[in-house]
Structures are given as C-alpha cells and as structure tokens.
C-alpha cells in the first residue's frame, strides 16, 4: 500500500533522517522504535507532509505530493502526540471534523452517511455518553480517545500514530491499543506507530523498524528487531536485562 | 437534535439571525438619536423618509445632523466593529490563540504606518488616486502579518500564545517609533496623522461607508465559507492537516482577507484597539467555539459593541468628544488580563 524510498529529512545542516526505505502492506502494524532523537517522529512528519523531505513516498503507486490534501486525508490519517485544545469544542464537534475530507465541497458540510460514521466512531471509542461534553473537561485518556474517534470517523486506509499512549494510565494504554488492534482487522487497513515502550512494540507489532540517529539499524519481525542483539548497542545498555529486572519485582510479590 | 446541527453545519436558525439583526438595529437607532445633541426618534424617521422619497416638507430642524453626520458615522462605526470583530475571531481561530487581534498582533499598527506614510508623502498611486491611503494600509497590514508570523515561527516553532503576543508587542513598538519619526518630518500634516494614532470615526461620510461595506461583503463571505477549516485550525495546525485541510492555501486566503479588512478599517478610522479581542471572546461565551456560529454572531456583536463604545465616547464628556479608540482600549486592556488569566488556566 505504502512505499517509502530513500527518505531523508534535514534541518539546516543537521540530518535527522537518512536513506530510510520501507513498505507497508495491508493488515500490517508497523512499529517504529528507537531512542530519543532517532528521528521516529520525523518519519511521521514527512508522511503527513508536515516537513520537507527528499526521496519518495508513494501510496498505491502514486507520489503523495500529487494528492490534494483532502484526497490524501481519505487515505492517510494522523494522530499527533499532543493535542492542542484551547477552545471548549464539544467531543462530537471534534469527531465530526474527521468527515471534512469526505464532504469538503458540500456547502454545509454534510455528505450522506456522515452522521452515522460519527456516531459509530463515538460508540466504538466508548464516547457516546460524553459526546456533548466540552473537550476542556476531559481527562487525558478521554481526550486521546476523542482524537482516535476523529480518525475512525475520517476512515482512512492507513492510520499513523505518534506515541499514542504517551502519558496515559495503563488502563487507557490497553484500551487504545485494543481499539487499534480491532480497527486494523477490516480489509485494506494498516497502521504505523511510533512507540517508546519496546514491550508494546513486540506485543502488538507485525513489523518493526529500529532507528538510531536517523538511520535504520534493523527491520523485520518485531521479535527479531526489538531484541538484545540490536537494542543493546543502540541504547548503550542491557535493555532486556533491565526489562527482566523490572518484571521480576512482580514475581517476588 | 444536537447531532444533526453539528454535522449539518451547526449554523444558526433564521430566527436567530433575525433576533441579532433586530438587536443591532435597535442599538443603531439609539446611537443615531443620542449624542452631543439628542434627536427625537420621529425626527430620525422623518428625515430618513425625506431623504429616501425626496419630499422636502418632511425635513426637520435636525435633518442635517441626522443625515449628513450621525447616520454615516454610526454606519461606519457599525461596519468597522463588525469587520474588526470578524478579523479577531478569524485570527483567534487560525492561530489557536484567544488573545489574537489586529491590535495585539501589531497588524493595525503596521496598517497605520502605511496610512501615515501615504499621507505624509502625499502618495497617489497610479490607478488608485485618493485611494492610495487605503491601498498602502492594506499592503502594510499584510506585510506586518507576514513579518509577525514569520518571526514568531522562527523564535518558536510551536507558535505558542505567548510568543505571538510578545512578537506583536515588539513589532508594535517598532512601528510606533517609525511613525513618530515620520511625524517629526511631517510638518503641516501632524494633525491629520495624530488622528490615526488615536482611532476615531468622527467626520466619516457615505463614501467611507461604501468602502467598508464593499470590503466587508467581499472578505466576510470568504471568511465565513472557511468556517469548517477554522474549526480545524482551532484544534491545531497538525490536526487541520490530518483531517485534510489545505493548510497553506487556506491560511494564506484567510490572512489576505483579514489584512484587507484591517487595512480598510485602519485607513478610515485609525487604530481602534481591542475590538477584535473583546467582542469574539464575549460572543464565544454565548455561542460556543464552533465558527459556523461564532463568525456571524461576532459580526453583529462587534457592530453593537463599537456603536455603544462610540456612543460613550460622544456623550461621556459632553460637549467634548473622546476618540473611540480610547474607550475600546480602556475596556480591552481589562478584558485582555481577564482572557489571559483564563486561557492560562486552561492551556
């Protein structure tokens, strides 16, 4: 579905990403991992056309630069790491914006089926009860689910997530990952996400890329990529040893 | 049903527009009647009827004041209020910043500089004739917006509320120093120029009314058509891009429309500060943040707000008159602190 070839991003003389290539097929959940400053979020910025890049990104054989923004949004949707809520929009209004790409040209912005899609997205994310609530009054988990609901309403083929459970409580972390896991099951869909938590990458990913300072260290099956062999040099520590140490506190309980 | 109003635009019902129109008309009539000389309501109607029908016997002793002073002035005030308020609402949406306004960002200051330069150097552009002041003000308004946003972006990529406001303040100070410099060399034009820095709509005529009306019709229709995009911007530029908004193009369109409106208003009334800050904020408390409602309601609200401020400026120290900018800045400064405190708590 998605093909990235020789992707490079620089800010001035600083190379953030260098020569990244990968493909994404339907049904795949690609996990991008790596330490701080590896360029993980920059991959997503390039995909969302939020920064200049060299190389080529193509979607179903067509360069994404050649798509109009609203057509691209029908195929590719993004969840950013932070949500900037300043005004008291209602949850339903935020979710309904997800339909923009499908009814951009409708004078009053309401193509057939929009309402159903919005209600469906609200109920999928368990937000039906909160639909009329102001986004300023939501907890971090509810806010994150609101923007996931917006993505579901947008109904793209590929969703791209930047640290989707950053700073969320464990219960929400589990909810969010299960929501995505359910979403991906429908035909023709795929997910790319940046994750900090290496265990989550192994648990949910079907493919993984390990980045370090803008370059690919390893790519392939999550169990192989997210493994001692590659992680220890990249993080300069005994990663799995530390993970086991953390987990061992539970066995003592 | 709430669900259908959100999707199907979420605009007002016709009755709500009627009510807002009625309210604005009411404030308009009061503003025409009251002032340094108060005029009975029936004289107002008689004079208007006389002017429209051409029957001289309907004219009263007050007709001259009503027809050639009050009505054009109050019309200008209402249209300027609506324009500045709409611009404030639009900028607060694009920048996701409740403190954005032509005056706080320094756009009005920039437009004044353009107007002042045009007046003092007597610039008469080819094709534009006496409209040189208006055109220069518009061009300077747009350049100012570009400079302020470009500079804020360089200083802080996330374009946080505080960075933009600080840049605006620095830019305003810079511009006002240049204006002072120009005034020092302006000689006999000092008095005309001082007018810009105060902000007043006294002595406006029907040509001014027509100018603002044209600009407002043009720009308001453009801005109102972008309500959904503004909703997306108000949730962050990344979010707008994600849902499929053509971020660069829509932003440019909106900023041009805003610059035209501010440029026209400043070239006619000088810098009238804080209207675009106070009025959209109060409107938002009533209508909520959805731009489908906020934009149009802000225009009515802004018109009423500025008419009342102008009325106050004409009557508070009767028979003298204060520039309306003094009144709005007084109210606006207090409102700024209030909104800043509130947005700080939320954000």
């Amino acid at each position: 579905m998605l093909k990235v070839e020789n992707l490079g991003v620089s800010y001035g003389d600083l190379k953030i990403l260098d020569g990244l290539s990968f493909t994404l097929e339907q049904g795949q959940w690609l996990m991008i991992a790596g330490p701080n400053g590896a360029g993980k979020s920059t991959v997503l910025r390039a995909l969302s056309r939020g920064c200049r890049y060299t190389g080529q990104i193509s979607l179903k054989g067509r360069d994404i630069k050649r798509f109009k923004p609203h057509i691209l949004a029908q195929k590719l949707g993004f969840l950013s790491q932070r949500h900037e809520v300043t005004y008291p929009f209602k949850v339903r209004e935020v979710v309904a914006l997800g339909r923009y790409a499908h009814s951009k040209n409708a004078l009053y912005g309401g193509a057939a089926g929009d309402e159903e899609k919005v209600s469906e997205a609200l109920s999928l994310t368990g937000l039906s009860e909160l639909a009329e609530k102001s986004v300023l009054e939501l907890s971090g988990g509810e806010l994150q689910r609101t923007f996931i609901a917006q993505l579901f309403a947008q109904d793209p083929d590929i969703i791209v997530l930047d640290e989707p459970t950053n700073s969320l409580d464990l219960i929400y972390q589990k909810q969010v990952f299960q929501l995505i896991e359910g979403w991906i099951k429908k035909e023709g869909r795929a997910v790319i996400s940046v994750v900090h938590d290496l265990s989550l990458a192994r648990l949910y990913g079907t493919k993984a890329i390990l980045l370090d300072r803008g370059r690919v260290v390893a790519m392939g099956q999550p169990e192989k990529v997210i493994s001692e062999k590659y992680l220890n040099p990249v993080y300069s520590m005994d990663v799995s040893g530390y993970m086991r140490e953390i987990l061992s506190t539970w066995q003592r309980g | 049903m709430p669900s259908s109003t959100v999707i199907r635009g979420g605009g007002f019902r016709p009755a709500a527009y009627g009510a807002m129109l009625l309210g604005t008309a009411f404030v308009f009539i009061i503003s025409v009647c009251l002032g340094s000389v108060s005029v009975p309501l029936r004289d107002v109607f008689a004079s208007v009827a006389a002017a429209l029908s051409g029957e001289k016997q309907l004219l009263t002793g007050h007709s001259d004041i009503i027809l050639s002073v009050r009505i054009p002035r109050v019309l200008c005030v209402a249209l300027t209020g609506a324009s500045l308020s709409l611009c404030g609402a639009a900028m607060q949406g694009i920048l996701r910043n409740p403190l954005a306004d032509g005056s706080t960002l320094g756009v009005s200051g920039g437009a004044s500089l353009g107007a002042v330069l045009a007046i003092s150097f007597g610039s008469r552009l080819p094709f534009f004739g006496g409209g040189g002041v208006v055109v220069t003000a518009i061009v300077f308004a747009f350049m100012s917006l570009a400079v302020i946003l470009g500079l804020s972006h360089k200083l802080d990529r996330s374009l946080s509320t505080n960075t933009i406001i600080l840049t605006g303040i620095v830019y305003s100070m810079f511009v006002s120093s240049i204006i002072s410099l120009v005034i020092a060399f302006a000689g006999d034009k000092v008095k005309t120029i001082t007018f810009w820095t105060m902000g007043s709509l006294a002595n406006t005529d029907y040509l001014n009314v027509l100018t603002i009306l044209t600009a407002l019709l043009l720009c308001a229709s453009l801005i109102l058509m972008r309500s959904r995009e503004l909703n997306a911007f108000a949730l962050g530029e990344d979010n707008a891009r994600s849902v499929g908004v053509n971020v660069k193009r829509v932003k440019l369109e909106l900023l041009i429309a805003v610059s035209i409106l501010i440029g026209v208003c400043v070239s006619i009334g000088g810098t009238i500060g804080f209207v675009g800050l106070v009025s959209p904020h109060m409107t938002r408390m009533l209508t909520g943040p959805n731009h489908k409602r906020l934009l149009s309601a802000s225009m009515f609200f802004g018109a009423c707000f500025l008419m009342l401020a102008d009325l106050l400026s004409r009557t508070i120290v009767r028979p003298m008159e204060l520039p309306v900018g003094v009144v709005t800045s007084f109210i606006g400064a207090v409102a700024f602190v209030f909104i800043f405190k509130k947005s700080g708590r939320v954000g």
Side-chain angles (χ1 to χ4, degrees):
Chain A
M1 295 171 84
L2 184 77
K3 193 172 179 190
V4 172
E5 287 166 286
N6 205 17
L7 181 68
V9 177
S10 323
Y11 293 126
D13 291 336
L14 189 66
K15 271 192 178 164
I16 309 286
L17 269 183
D18 194 11
L20 173 68
S21 301
F22 66 86
T23 58
L24 183 76
E25 301 305 330
Q26 61 163 298
Q28 275 184 338
W29 186 338
L30 171 66
M31 296 285 184
I32 303 179
N36 291 324
K40 304 184 295 283
S41 295
T42 308
V43 179
L44 307 192
R45 279 206 84 76
L47 283 170
S48 72
R49 304 207 45 206
C51 66
R52 283 169 200 273
Y53 61 85
T54 55
Q56 195 175 36
I57 303 175
S58 46
L59 196 64
K60 293 178 179 163
R62 192 171 166 201
D63 190 338
I64 61 164
K65 285 181 177 166
R66 294 179 56 211
F67 285 102
K68 283 187 174 165
H70 72 282
I71 303 289
L72 186 63
Q74 292 171 8
K75 304 181 189 307
L76 208 56
F78 294 86
L79 184 73
S80 49
Q81 206 177 114
R82 282 185 312 145
H83 302 300
E84 301 158 330
V85 289
T86 313
Y87 301 114
F89 282 100
K90 287 177 185 161
V91 169
R92 184 187 292 275
E93 289 174 315
V94 174
V95 177
L97 254 181
R99 298 305 297 164
Y100 175 82
H102 300 271
S103 52
K104 174 181 170 275
N105 297 320
L107 185 61
Y108 260 120
D114 274 4
E115 264 172 65
E116 290 72 45
K117 290 268 185 197
V118 171
S119 299
E120 196 188 309
L122 283 168
S123 79
L124 256 176
T125 46
L127 291 169
S128 303
E129 301 281 303
L130 301 176
E132 306 302 321
K133 209 172 169 183
S134 152
V135 288
L136 297 182
E137 293 164 13
L138 300 181
S139 71
E142 289 164 347
L143 189 65
Q144 184 69 325
R145 278 189 285 152
T146 301
F147 281 91
I148 291 176
Q150 187 194 61
L151 263 185
F152 286 174
Q154 189 175 331
D155 195 22
D157 302 330
I158 300 174
I159 61 180
V160 179
L161 314 159
D162 194 357
E163 309 237 10
T165 56
N166 207 11
S167 75
L168 287 190
D169 286 344
L170 278 179
I171 173 83
Y172 298 130
Q173 187 176 7
K174 192 175 171 191
Q175 277 178 9
V176 166
F177 274 89
Q178 286 178 341
L179 274 173
I180 308 292
E181 203 180 29
W183 181 85
I184 204 175
K185 291 212 167 92
K186 204 169 149 187
E187 205 183 309
R189 287 174 171 175
V191 177
I192 301 178
S193 63
V194 160
V195 282
H196 229 94
D197 190 322
L198 299 167
S199 315
L200 285 172
R202 283 175 66 117
L203 182 60
Y204 291 98
T206 61
K207 183 178 182 175
I209 296 177
L210 181 64
L211 288 177
D212 186 26
R213 279 162 288 177
R215 288 175 166 278
V216 177
V217 177
M219 185 184 327
Q221 294 242 314
E223 296 76 21
K224 287 187 183 140
V225 173
I226 313 287
S227 66
E228 277 171 59
K229 183 180 159 198
Y230 298 113
L231 290 175
N232 292 1
V234 165
Y235 285 83
S236 331
M237 65 181 284
D238 177 14
V239 176
S240 54
Y242 181 58
M243 294 282 176
R244 272 191 281 272
E245 196 184 318
I246 293 171
L247 280 177
S248 67
T249 63
W250 293 102
Q251 280 146 17
R252 269 183 261 139
Chain B
M1 226 181 106
S3 62
S4 61
T5 53
V6 171
I7 312 272
R8 300 247 171 266
F12 288 112
R13 293 204 175 82
Y17 285 111
M20 288 190 286
L21 202 63
L22 222 65
T24 311
F26 178 71
V27 177
F28 179 83
I29 292 168
I30 293 178
S31 296
V32 172
C33 288
L34 301 179
S36 52
V37 180
S38 287
V39 181
L41 190 58
R42 58 174 193 286
D43 284 14
V44 174
F45 287 120
S47 307
V48 173
L52 292 178
S53 63
E55 287 175 37
K56 293 241 162 48
Q57 70 270 24
L58 287 172
L59 290 174
T60 69
H62 290 123
S63 288
D64 210 33
I65 292 188
I66 295 168
L67 292 175
S68 57
V69 180
R70 288 276 169 83
I71 289 184
R73 175 186 182 147
V74 178
L75 276 174
C76 266
V77 169
L79 290 168
T80 304
S83 305
L84 292 176
S85 179
L86 178 67
C87 289
M91 283 194 284
Q92 286 156 24
I94 306 173
L95 301 173
R96 195 177 41 85
N97 184 339
L99 290 171
D101 164 46
S103 53
T104 54
L105 289 189
V107 185
S108 306
S112 307
L113 175 62
V116 165
L117 283 172
I119 298 168
S120 41
F121 296 114
S123 101
R124 285 188 159 266
L125 298 178
F127 308 115
F128 292 110
V133 176
V134 182
V135 176
T136 339
I138 291 174
V139 171
F140 270 72
F142 183 73
M143 287 188 337
S144 304
L145 251 180
V147 168
I148 296 154
L149 294 184
L151 201 59
S152 309
H153 195 75
K154 274 260 183 301
L155 293 172
D156 170 11
R157 275 184 55 86
S158 69
L159 278 186
S160 79
T161 307
N162 297 349
T163 313
I164 298 178
I165 298 300
L166 281 175
T167 316
I169 290 168
V170 171
Y171 185 80
S172 298
M173 286 160 75
F174 171 72
V175 165
S176 87
S177 79
I178 300 184
I179 292 181
S180 304
L181 188 73
V182 175
I183 289 176
F185 290 101
D188 57 322
K189 298 207 174 79
V190 170
K191 213 177 158 200
T192 330
I193 290 174
T194 315
F195 160 84
W196 299 104
T197 53
M198 301 271 253
S200 169
L201 287 155
N203 311 320
T204 43
D205 54 28
Y206 285 106
L207 181 66
N208 297 141
V209 173
L210 198 68
T211 314
I212 311 181
L213 185 65
T214 315
L216 183 61
L217 284 177
L218 188 84
C219 300
S221 51
L222 202 148
I223 295 173
L224 288 173
M225 269 168 54
R226 292 298 190 193
S227 308
R228 279 183 100 195
E229 285 83 352
L230 277 167
N231 282 342
F233 273 107
L235 287 164
E237 211 169 292
D238 283 341
N239 193 252
R241 188 177 294 114
S242 172
V243 299
V245 174
N246 192 338
V247 169
K248 268 189 191 160
R249 187 173 141 191
V250 172
K251 205 169 169 181
L252 187 68
E253 268 178 35
L254 286 169
L255 293 181
I256 289 175
V258 163
S259 306
I260 293 176
L261 266 184
I262 292 182
V264 168
C265 288
V266 166
S267 70
I268 288 168
T271 318
I272 301 174
F274 294 109
V275 180
L277 180 79
V278 176
S279 141
H281 186 75
M282 293 172 98
T283 313
R284 202 177 287 117
M285 292 200 283
L286 294 172
T287 63
N290 190 336
H291 288 80
K292 289 254 154 79
R293 285 158 175 257
L294 177 64
L295 293 176
S296 50
S298 284
M299 289 181 14
F300 287 108
F301 208 95
C304 293
F305 173 75
L306 199 57
M307 282 193 284
L308 292 173
D310 183 62
L311 184 62
L312 204 63
S313 78
R314 284 185 280 140
T315 50
I316 197 165
V317 287
R318 215 161 23 178
M320 279 196 354
E321 188 176 300
L322 287 172
V324 65
V326 172
V327 177
T328 58
S329 294
F330 186 83
I331 303 171
V334 179
F336 184 95
V337 175
F338 175 74
I339 300 169
F340 189 75
K341 195 166 162 247
K342 205 174 150 208
S343 67
R345 196 168 55 225
V346 169

